Coordinates of all heavy atoms in Angstrom, one line a residue:
L26 N -17.8 -0.3 -3.3 CA -17.2 0.6 -2.3 C -16.3 -0.3 -1.5 O -15.0 0.1 -1.2 CB -18.1 1.3 -1.5 CG -18.9 2.5 -2.1 CD1 -20.0 3.0 -1.3 CD2 -17.9 3.7 -2.5
A27 N -16.7 -1.4 -1.0 CA -15.9 -2.3 -0.2 C -14.6 -2.8 -1.0 O -13.6 -2.8 -0.5 CB -16.7 -3.5 0.3
A28 N -14.8 -3.1 -2.3 CA -13.7 -3.5 -3.1 C -12.6 -2.4 -3.3 O -11.5 -2.6 -3.3 CB -14.2 -4.0 -4.5
L29 N -13.1 -1.2 -3.5 CA -12.3 0.0 -3.7 C -11.5 0.2 -2.3 O -10.3 0.5 -2.4 CB -13.1 1.2 -4.1 CG -13.6 1.2 -5.5 CD1 -14.5 2.3 -5.7 CD2 -12.5 1.2 -6.5
D30 N -12.2 0.1 -1.2 CA -11.6 0.3 0.1 C -10.5 -0.8 0.3 O -9.4 -0.5 0.8 CB -12.6 0.3 1.3 CG -13.4 1.4 1.3 OD1 -13.0 2.5 0.8 OD2 -14.5 1.4 2.0
A31 N -10.8 -2.0 -0.1 CA -9.8 -3.1 0.1 C -8.6 -2.7 -0.8 O -7.4 -2.9 -0.5 CB -10.4 -4.4 -0.3
E32 N -8.7 -2.3 -2.0 CA -7.6 -2.1 -3.0 C -6.9 -0.8 -2.4 O -5.7 -0.8 -2.5 CB -8.2 -1.8 -4.3 CG -7.1 -1.5 -5.4 CD -6.2 -2.7 -5.7 OE1 -6.5 -3.8 -5.2 OE2 -5.3 -2.4 -6.4
I33 N -7.5 0.2 -1.9 CA -6.8 1.3 -1.3 C -5.9 0.9 -0.2 O -4.7 1.2 -0.1 CB -7.8 2.4 -0.8 CG1 -8.4 3.1 -2.1 CG2 -7.1 3.4 0.0 CD1 -9.6 3.9 -1.8
G34 N -6.5 0.0 0.7 CA -5.6 -0.5 1.8 C -4.4 -1.4 1.3 O -3.3 -1.1 1.8
R35 N -4.7 -2.2 0.3 CA -3.5 -2.9 -0.3 C -2.5 -2.1 -0.9 O -1.3 -2.2 -0.7 CB -4.1 -3.9 -1.4 CG -3.0 -4.8 -2.0 CD -3.6 -5.7 -3.1 NE -3.8 -4.9 -4.3 CZ -2.8 -4.6 -5.1 NH1 -1.5 -5.0 -4.9 NH2 -3.0 -3.9 -6.2
L36 N -2.9 -1.1 -1.6 CA -1.9 -0.1 -2.2 C -1.2 0.7 -1.2 O 0.0 1.0 -1.3 CB -2.6 0.8 -3.2 CG -3.2 0.1 -4.6 CD1 -4.0 1.0 -5.4 CD2 -2.0 -0.4 -5.4
A37 N -2.0 1.0 -0.1 CA -1.2 1.9 0.9 C -0.2 1.0 1.6 O 0.9 1.5 1.9 CB -2.2 2.3 2.0
G38 N -0.5 -0.3 1.8 CA 0.5 -1.2 2.4 C 1.7 -1.4 1.5 O 2.9 -1.4 2.0
L39 N 1.5 -1.5 0.1 CA 2.6 -1.6 -0.9 C 3.5 -0.4 -0.8 O 4.7 -0.5 -0.8 CB 2.1 -1.8 -2.2 CG 1.6 -3.2 -2.6 CD1 0.9 -3.2 -4.0 CD2 2.7 -4.3 -2.5
R40 N 2.8 0.9 -0.7 CA 3.6 2.0 -0.7 C 4.4 2.1 0.5 O 5.6 2.5 0.5 CB 2.7 3.2 -0.8 CG 3.4 4.5 -0.9 CD 2.5 5.7 -0.6 NE 3.2 6.9 -0.8 CZ 4.2 7.3 -0.1 NH1 4.7 6.7 1.0 NH2 4.8 8.5 -0.3
E41 N 3.9 1.8 1.7 CA 4.5 1.9 2.9 C 5.8 0.9 2.9 O 6.9 1.3 3.3 CB 3.6 1.4 4.1 CG 4.3 1.5 5.4 CD 3.3 1.2 6.6 OE1 2.1 1.6 6.5 OE2 3.6 0.4 7.4
N42 N 5.6 -0.3 2.4 CA 6.7 -1.2 2.3 C 7.9 -0.7 1.3 O 9.0 -0.9 1.7 CB 6.2 -2.7 1.8 CG 5.5 -3.4 2.9 OD1 5.6 -3.1 4.1 ND2 4.7 -4.3 2.5
L43 N 7.4 -0.3 0.2 CA 8.4 0.3 -0.7 C 9.1 1.5 -0.1 O 10.4 1.6 -0.2 CB 7.7 0.7 -2.1 CG 8.6 1.3 -3.1 CD1 9.7 0.3 -3.5 CD2 7.8 1.6 -4.3
A44 N 8.5 2.4 0.5 CA 9.1 3.5 1.1 C 10.1 3.1 2.2 O 11.2 3.7 2.3 CB 8.0 4.5 1.7
R45 N 9.6 2.2 3.0 CA 10.6 1.6 4.0 C 11.8 1.0 3.4 O 12.9 1.3 3.9 CB 9.9 0.6 5.0 CG 10.6 0.2 6.2 CD 9.8 -0.7 7.1 NE 8.8 -1.6 6.5 CZ 7.5 -1.5 6.7 NH1 7.0 -0.4 7.3 NH2 6.7 -2.3 6.0
R46 N 11.7 0.3 2.4 CA 12.9 -0.4 1.8 C 13.7 0.7 1.1 O 14.9 0.5 1.2 CB 12.4 -1.4 0.8 CG 11.8 -2.7 1.5 CD 11.6 -3.8 0.6 NE 12.5 -4.8 0.8 CZ 12.5 -5.9 0.1 NH1 11.5 -6.1 -0.8 NH2 13.3 -6.8 0.3
A47 N 13.1 1.7 0.5 CA 13.8 2.7 -0.2 C 14.7 3.5 0.8 O 15.8 4.0 0.5 CB 13.0 3.6 -1.0
A48 N 14.2 3.6 2.0 CA 14.9 4.4 3.1 C 15.9 3.5 3.8 O 16.6 4.0 4.8 CB 13.8 4.9 4.1
G49 N 16.0 2.3 3.5 CA 17.0 1.4 4.1 C 16.5 0.6 5.2 O 17.2 0.1 6.0

């Protein structure tokens, strides 16, 4: 569960960075 939570956090951060860059 801890490993899954860490991976979810990592993916959420990646998504946020990609969305921010895509929006300029």
Side-chain angles (χ1 to χ4, degrees):
L26 287 170
L29 289 170
D30 288 342
E32 183 65 6
I33 289 167
R35 186 186 73 79
L36 290 171
L39 284 174
R40 187 198 183 288
E41 185 179 312
N42 288 337
L43 179 58
R45 187 174 32 251
R46 289 185 108 174

